[in-house]
Amino acid sequence: MNKILKTDFAQYRFLSGLEAEPDGEHAVMISTMADLEENRYRSDLQRIELKTGKIKALTSCGDAKSFAFYGNGVIFPALRSEQDRKKVAEGELLTVFYALDFAGGEATEAFRLPLAGATAKQIRRGLYLISAVHDNARPDFEAMKGEARQKAWEAYREEADYQVVDEAPFWFNGKGFTNKKRNRLYLYDTGKKKLTPLTAPMFDVRACCVSPCGGFIAYAGALVDKLLDMHSGIWLYEIATGETRCLFEPRQYSSVYAMEFLGEKIMFTAEEHNADWMRFAGTNLYSVDCKTAEIRLEIPVAETEDFGGVPGNDCRYGGGHKMKAHDGALYYTAAADHHSILRRWQPGCAAEKLYEDDSFSPDCFDICGERLYAIGFENQDLAEVFRLELKDGKRKRLTSCNRAALKNKYVAAPEKLTFTNREGNVIEGWVLKPIDYDPGKNYPAALDIHGGPRAIFGTCFFHQMQMMASDGVF
């Protein structure tokens, strides 16, 4: 068997964003690969035939990091012309959305918005929920004219070599400087070419969802100024009237990162805080009634599971559905023990697992009819797409996107160890034996520690750890 090398990382395909098409026969996902030469990630859209698992590439330029359905195809944001890239490099706000028909042909421009890094979610044909990062430190050049605008541009560019910091925190891993930057929501009507902001400039949106009827948008977040407020409230926006109603203020709940309409209620994940603020446990599942604003704790599992959680590894990129309502039930992923699981919950009933073995850890999913389609990790393989039957939990792998990447490679199988401390708590751990292991020899060992139930270690493939095993390290 060959060793796993550092450069093998560039051969892996990180799958995410799985969305089933309305026809129930196909799905679209994002496939991302690391580009070591350019020091960036390249993402493209792929279409899957759900019956056979056959994959068709939709894009190939490496710039499609999100998408939304659009007629008989998809739209995705990208900057494909040199002129547009130059505008953004010079500080202009711009996101261009391209349309791509499933029948074939080249991607063509659908519309452009004066926003930075915008993504779209289809509400109904011709109406999209837009999410973008709003920089409150940037002057509103678009509202200026003539000489005043030119002077403001010159002053703004003179400050390009440094960052003004007046908030805490001002940096986030993977995002860089976040000072004065907020996630903001908009509505865009493609027919009227009208962009309408839904949230205030200083309001930071943490999660959102659209009602099945397409008439309401729920979003969670808080108005943040100077100091980060980890609490989140939930607001309900009615599209027909343009009215927004607060269901509860950001005073008690944090970690509201997943939301979904279920009947007359909005389901949401959250931590409910008291004096023990930084306990860093998992999240519970709550509901809030859209009419009465009554909040109810539905599934209290914060000490043993984490809604939307996944085992920690270094071979994933992107997101996808962690929670979805279907036929009166809520389906969701959760981190539990040393893997992630899929559960189904109906009001008044206990949550049930869709399958019993712990060899499969789903990352994201979507549902079509009586079948669930998930991107996940099985045993020591990299991510693939799987089909699960809702009635009996039977699972079948549909794709082999990463089979060639690990062919003839030494992949150490994790061997479980447990330790019981004085308080009776069982601590789990795993050993990866080095390549060509000889029990009569001594080997260097590396101890890697993490807690749980959030960001747990488990048995999923972990490139860095497998690389150490190939280097002869326990």
Side-chain angles (χ1 to χ4, degrees):
M1 302 297 285
N2 299 318
K3 293 182 178 181
I4 289 181
L5 307 175
K6 179 173 64 176
T7 52
D8 289 339
F9 191 75
Q11 305 303 314
Y12 304 157
R13 292 187 177 275
F14 312 129
L15 310 180
S16 64
L18 185 69
E19 291 269 3
E21 295 175 27
D23 67 2
E25 297 180 359
H26 299 85
V28 177
M29 69 176 177
I30 304 168
S31 176
T32 300
M33 298 186 74
D35 188 326
L36 301 183
E37 290 187 6
E38 296 187 13
N39 191 30
R40 71 183 185 99
Y41 287 97
R42 299 177 58 86
S43 299
D44 283 297
L45 304 182
Q46 295 183 335
R47 193 182 192 211
I48 311 165
E49 191 176 292
L50 294 177
K51 184 177 181 180
T52 63
K54 184 179 179 181
I55 291 178
K56 176 184 177 181
L58 295 178
T59 68
S60 59
C61 295
D63 57 358
K65 296 185 181 298
S66 69
F67 69 92
F69 292 118
Y70 182 84
N72 187 44
V74 292
I75 58 170
F76 60 93
L79 293 171
R80 293 199 160 180
S81 76
E82 186 61 37
Q83 184 179 8
D84 287 340
R85 287 193 289 268
K86 184 179 179 180
K87 289 179 181 179
V88 172
E90 292 176 349
E92 184 172 331
L93 298 180
L94 178 64
T95 299
V96 182
F97 283 87
Y98 287 84
L100 188 63
D101 197 290
F102 290 142
E106 295 293 323
T108 57
E109 184 175 322
F111 55 87
R112 52 181 54 209
L113 301 176
L115 301 172
T119 60
K121 176 180 177 63
Q122 187 180 48
I123 298 174
R124 56 178 181 264
R125 192 177 184 89
L127 188 64
Y128 288 86
L129 177 62
I130 304 294
S131 176
V133 176
H134 180 77
D135 187 355
N136 287 279
R138 179 186 182 274
D140 187 5
F141 299 115
E142 290 69 27
M144 303 177 189
K145 295 181 179 180
E147 186 178 349
R149 179 174 180 173
Q150 183 62 32
K151 288 183 178 179
W153 265 116
E154 291 173 358
Y156 184 70
R157 287 168 181 163
E158 285 180 1
E159 298 178 353
D161 293 335
Y162 60 90
Q163 290 280 344
V164 176
V165 172
D166 60 359
E167 292 189 337
F170 55 83
W171 176 278
F172 194 89
N173 288 343
K175 295 182 180 179
F177 281 98
T178 58
N179 197 80
K180 286 286 196 297
K181 294 179 180 179
R182 306 290 185 264
N183 293 315
R184 197 175 181 189
L185 294 180
Y186 305 79
L187 273 183
Y188 183 66
D189 187 315
T190 60
K192 299 178 181 178
K193 297 183 179 180
K194 183 180 179 181
L195 182 68
T196 305
L198 302 187
T199 56
M202 293 294 286
F203 188 96
D204 191 41
V205 177
R206 280 91 187 245
C208 63
C209 59
V210 178
S211 65
C213 68
F216 296 88
I217 298 169
Y219 59 88
L223 194 65
V224 179
D225 189 14
K226 302 297 184 183
L227 187 63
L228 173 66
D229 185 354
M230 295 178 68
H231 292 102
S232 289
I234 289 183
W235 283 260
L236 187 64
Y237 175 84
E238 186 174 3
I239 295 174
T241 64
E243 296 180 356
T244 300
R245 185 163 62 97
C246 179
L247 297 181
F248 63 85
E249 296 283 352
R251 294 174 183 155
Q252 187 174 0
Y253 301 97
S254 71
S255 298
V256 182
Y257 297 129
M259 303 169 62
E260 184 77 358
F261 282 89
L262 184 64
E264 296 296 321
K265 296 184 177 182
I266 299 169
M267 314 302 300
F268 65 96
T269 63
E271 292 180 55
E272 187 172 2
H273 287 294
N274 48 34
D276 187 13
W277 173 257
M278 295 303 291
R279 65 189 178 89
F280 203 65
T283 50
N284 292 318
L285 182 71
Y286 298 83
S287 68
V288 56
D289 192 289
C290 294
K291 294 181 178 179
T292 66
E294 178 187 1
I295 301 173
R296 178 185 175 92
L297 174 61
E298 301 289 2
I299 307 180
V301 296
E303 300 300 331
T304 57
E305 295 184 5
D306 185 34
F307 284 95
V310 292
N313 82 355
D314 53 3
C315 294
R316 59 169 58 95
Y317 183 100
H321 293 295
K322 308 287 187 183
M323 179 187 295
K324 186 152 189 177
H326 179 71
D327 282 350
L330 188 74
Y331 294 79
Y332 62 88
T333 63
D337 296 326
H338 54 271
H339 60 291
S340 57
I341 57 177
L342 277 165
R343 287 194 183 276
R344 172 173 48 214
W345 175 81
Q346 292 178 292
C349 303
E352 57 179 326
K353 289 178 67 174
L354 294 186
Y355 55 89
E356 290 302 324
D357 68 283
D358 61 1
S359 64
F360 176 62
S361 287
D363 264 17
C364 64
F365 67 93
D366 205 353
I367 302 174
C368 269
E370 295 301 314
R371 289 173 169 173
L372 182 149
Y373 298 89
I375 291 173
F377 296 80
E378 187 175 55
N379 296 316
Q380 282 296 287
D381 290 333
L382 290 159
E384 300 291 352
V385 179
F386 295 80
R387 181 175 65 223
L388 284 87
E389 304 293 339
L390 294 182
K391 60 182 180 180
D392 56 19
K394 289 184 178 178
R395 182 174 73 248
K396 179 181 179 180
R397 186 172 73 173
L398 295 180
T399 63
S400 298
C401 300
N402 284 296
R403 178 173 291 178
L406 295 180
K407 187 177 181 179
N408 298 324
K409 294 287 185 176
Y410 173 69
V411 179
E415 297 183 14
K416 186 176 180 179
L417 298 175
T418 59
F419 169 76
T420 304
N421 65 13
R422 294 176 181 176
E423 288 76 28
N425 299 314
V426 178
I427 311 300
E428 291 183 325
W430 288 267
V431 168
L432 300 182
K433 289 181 179 177
I435 191 170
D436 300 325
Y437 172 66
D438 183 346
K441 294 182 179 180
N442 292 327
Y443 294 87
L447 183 61
D448 208 333
I449 303 174
H450 208 289
R454 183 175 300 174
I456 53 175
F457 275 160
T459 56
C460 287
F461 183 91
F462 206 116
H463 176 77
Q464 182 186 36
M465 295 183 187
Q466 291 291 345
M467 192 172 65
M468 287 192 292
S470 285
D471 282 339
V473 177
F474 252 101

